[in-house]
């Protein structure tokens, strides 16, 4: 938000969706969200004959309440899902927060492909056909993190100070963005219907932090990988390099392991 990058909604899995304090903070700040929940967890107090969880609310649905939702993937793959608005407790289509169930099979509700969602996006602006694909983006976040952690060394920052660790994470994100960009370039080269778009190379004098970050601050679609990498690099250019300080807790272990002990260091060790 500080960088001016527009977004449709905040998406998160059930670990965050079931975090009541986080949800309350998002609602208080009026930030749009699509959050996942566990279907068996009750969402409040209700009489014994009234649904208080997603699973119980689904049992009250009729076949006419389910609507087909088509999910389109970038590689051309198409998948048919079912989605329904749920009404229970403080949730409902006309209430501040909506509850939605999306699944590939409305009769069996398979666990791997069934989502229990809440969103504060109004029904007029975000029907089921838009909410379901929005949450579908959440899995790409997890996929990217898996590649960064397993292949690009996300956790290989050793023992550094806080600033250096954060810079390491930013550079790993840049590496992933450049990998996606390279993959897209190769796909364009092998596709006869499209050709790579040539952009004017900026002069050395204009290639500063603001010119790098500018492309990522406009538009409402998926962020282009090249623009994302430029924005991440701009964050590093705005700050001085990470440096050693006099704080013992920020000195690498291999430089301090032979230092004489001190009473002030007992708690740290």
């Amino acid at each position: 938000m500080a960088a001016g990058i527009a977004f449709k909604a905040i998406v998160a899995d059930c670990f965050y969706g079931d975090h009541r304090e986080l949800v309350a903070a998002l609602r208080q700040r009026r930030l749009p969200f699509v959050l996942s929940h566990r279907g068996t967890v009750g969402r409040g107090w209700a009489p014994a004959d009234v649904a208080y969880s997603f699973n119980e609310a689904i049992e009250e649905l009729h076949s006419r309440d389910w609507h087909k939702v088509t999910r389109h993937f970038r590689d051309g793959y198409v998948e048919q899902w079912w989605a329904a608005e749920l009404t229970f407790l403080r949730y409902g289509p006309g209430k501040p927060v909506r509850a939605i169930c999306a699944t590939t099979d409305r009769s069996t509700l398979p666990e791997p492909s069934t989502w229990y969602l809440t969103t504060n996006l109004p029904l007029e602006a975000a029907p089921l056909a838009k909410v379901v694909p929005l949450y579908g983006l959440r899995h790409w976040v997890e996929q990217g993190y898996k590649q960064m952690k397993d292949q690009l060394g996300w956790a290989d920052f050793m023992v550094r100070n806080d600033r250096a660790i954060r810079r390491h994470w930013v550079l790993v994100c840049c590496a992933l963005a450049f990998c996606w960009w390279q993959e897209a370039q190769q796909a364009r080269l092998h596709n006869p219907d499209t050709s790579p778009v040539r952009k004017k190379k900026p002069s050395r004098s204009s290639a500063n932090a603001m010119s790098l970050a500018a492309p990522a601050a406009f538009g409402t679609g998926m962020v282009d990988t090249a623009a994302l990498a430029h924005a991440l690099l701009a964050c590093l250019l705005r700050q001085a390099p990470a440096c050693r300080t006099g704080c013992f807790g920020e000195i690498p272990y291999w430089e301090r392991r032979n230092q004489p002990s001190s009473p002030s260091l007992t708690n740290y060790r």
Side-chain angles (χ1 to χ4, degrees), residues 69-90:
V69 175
T70 303
R71 296 185 62 197
H72 297 273
F73 297 85
R74 184 168 295 185
D75 61 357
Y77 178 72
V78 176
E79 201 169 64
Q80 295 295 333
W81 282 54
W82 294 89
E85 297 273 357
L86 305 179
T87 301
F88 69 104
L89 296 180
R90 60 184 181 277

Side-chain angles (χ1 to χ4, degrees), residues 121 123 142 155 175 203 251:
L121 294 171
L123 180 61
E142 191 68 29
S203 62
I251 300 177

Side-chain angles (χ1 to χ4, degrees), residues 6-13 32-36 69-73 81 98 100 102 115 117-122 125-141 220-222:
F7 59 93
K8 181 70 174 181
I10 298 169
V11 295
D13 61 19
F33 61 78
V34 180
L35 307 177
S36 177
V69 175
T70 303
R71 296 185 62 197
H72 297 273
F73 297 85
W81 282 54
R98 300 154 57 196
I100 297 169
W115 303 337
L117 311 174
T118 58
T119 179
N120 59 349
L121 294 171
L128 294 174
K130 289 188 177 181
V131 174
V132 175
L134 269 177
Y135 182 72
L137 297 175
R138 167 65 185 83
H139 297 280
W140 290 105
V141 176
T220 57
M222 291 290 292

Side-chain angles (χ1 to χ4, degrees), residues 194-231:
T194 60
S195 59
V197 178
R198 295 183 178 275
K199 297 182 179 180
K200 183 178 179 181
K201 186 176 181 180
S203 62
R204 184 178 298 271
S205 59
S206 63
N208 52 32
M210 294 310 297
S211 64
L212 285 173
F218 303 97
T220 57
M222 291 290 292
V223 177
D224 180 77
T225 51
L228 175 61
H230 289 163

Side-chain angles (χ1 to χ4, degrees), residues 248 256-265 269:
F248 182 82
R256 59 176 167 81
R257 57 186 175 184
N258 295 324
Q259 293 186 10
S261 59
S262 169
S264 62
L265 305 180
R269 290 182 174 173

Side-chain angles (χ1 to χ4, degrees), residues 17-55:
D18 289 336
H19 194 290
R20 297 182 182 274
E21 289 77 9
L22 174 62
V23 177
L26 295 178
R27 292 189 60 186
Q28 182 179 8
R29 300 186 183 187
R30 297 183 179 181
L31 295 173
F33 61 78
V34 180
L35 307 177
S36 177
H37 303 268
R38 287 171 291 176
T40 57
V41 176
R43 306 303 303 168
W45 293 96
D49 58 342
V50 177
Y52 73 99
S53 68
F54 287 89
N55 286 351

